[in-house]
Amino acid sequence: MFDRIWWLYNLTDSVSIGTETNIDIQGSNDPYRLPVEVLRTAVQPQNGLNSLSYNYTSPYKENFTPYFRVYFHFAEILEQTAPGKLREFTITLNGLNYGPFTLEYLKPLTIRSNITQVQEGQVRFSIDATLRSDLPPILNAFEIFVLWPLPDSPTNQTDGMFSISILLNAIIIVINELLDYWIEGFLRFDPSDLELGPD
């Protein structure tokens, strides 16, 4: 969770928002635990708009159709002055719909997409306010992971099994020989050979 570098990025037709309020990432159940500095910033649509969108094209041109997984990170950082205001939104990622989701004040939420195979390395998403939402959507951060196939053939699962079976057979042979030796010695045992000490 710590080996990541974060950049400031404004989506098209969006404005930046932020807060200095502390966000308790240790006390939350969010396993991703983004840095507080990341969760304190977000973007929302420009005035009058109710949608955020982004298009990503992989710069790598390969002879396979790549798989992607996208993580969307949210935290409500604006304390609403009017009680009862609802911020509810859905996510559409390459034609797949997720949500609706609502946010709680200063409580991190991460939405993980399914692993999706996309043509031409195109990842497109939009975050849209629902009809009953009073507020536009926000987005604090997102991550796009590309799943690459292994460059070489994977290891054969039976590799090493031959040497293991030889070792096991050798161990079994040694145990059998020891047992034979002990049994043979026991059968040759004569109690009269024991010297009895004084009473």
Side-chain angles (χ1 to χ4, degrees):
M1 68 178 75
F2 303 110
D3 263 356
R4 292 178 289 182
I5 300 173
W6 301 91
W7 287 278
L8 290 172
Y9 189 86
N10 276 340
L11 303 185
T12 304
D13 297 325
S14 69
V15 293
S16 297
I17 56 176
T19 183
E20 293 299 318
T21 307
N22 190 37
I23 299 175
D24 181 17
I25 59 174
Q26 300 298 328
S28 73
N29 292 327
D30 184 6
Y32 303 100
R33 295 188 182 174
L34 271 66
V36 172
E37 293 79 6
V38 174
L39 292 173
R40 283 178 176 168
T41 61
V43 293
Q44 68 180 15
Q46 292 180 355
N47 287 338
L49 301 178
N50 287 308
S51 179
L52 293 167
S53 61
Y54 180 75
N55 293 336
Y56 169 81
T57 302
S58 173
Y60 307 105
K61 304 302 178 189
E62 300 293 338
N63 296 326
F64 62 90
T65 303
Y67 288 86
F68 289 88
R69 170 164 270 169
V70 183
Y71 292 79
F72 300 92
H73 304 289
F74 303 94
E76 179 60 78
I77 58 176
L78 298 180
E79 189 172 12
Q80 308 308 328
T81 54
K85 289 283 187 180
L86 176 69
R87 190 190 303 276
E88 184 181 70
F89 55 88
T90 59
I91 300 171
T92 303
L93 171 64
N94 282 40
L96 298 175
N97 297 316
Y98 300 86
F101 306 101
T102 57
L103 301 180
E104 297 179 42
Y105 183 55
L106 300 181
K107 184 175 180 181
L109 171 69
T110 293
I111 308 300
R112 182 184 72 180
S113 76
N114 297 325
I115 295 176
T116 308
Q117 191 174 28
V118 296
Q119 299 295 326
E120 300 176 358
Q122 294 276 341
V123 175
R124 294 181 290 276
F125 69 77
S126 66
I127 304 172
D128 305 287
T130 64
L131 293 177
R132 68 191 197 111
S133 181
D134 304 302
L135 302 167
I138 65 171
L139 176 62
N140 299 74
F142 68 93
E143 301 172 272
I144 299 176
F145 289 89
V146 183
L147 283 69
W148 296 95
L150 295 174
D152 302 309
S153 299
T155 302
N156 190 321
Q157 296 301 311
T158 60
D159 282 359
M161 296 304 292
F162 180 69
S163 58
I164 291 173
S165 65
I166 290 174
L167 176 62
L168 290 175
N169 285 334
I171 291 171
I172 291 170
I173 290 169
V174 169
I175 291 174
N176 285 337
E177 288 180 356
L178 285 173
L179 285 174
D180 290 343
Y181 176 78
W182 291 333
I183 291 171
E184 184 179 332
F186 179 75
L187 292 176
R188 282 186 285 151
F189 173 70
D190 185 355
S192 63
D193 292 341
L194 293 175
E195 293 184 10
L196 297 177
D199 290 339

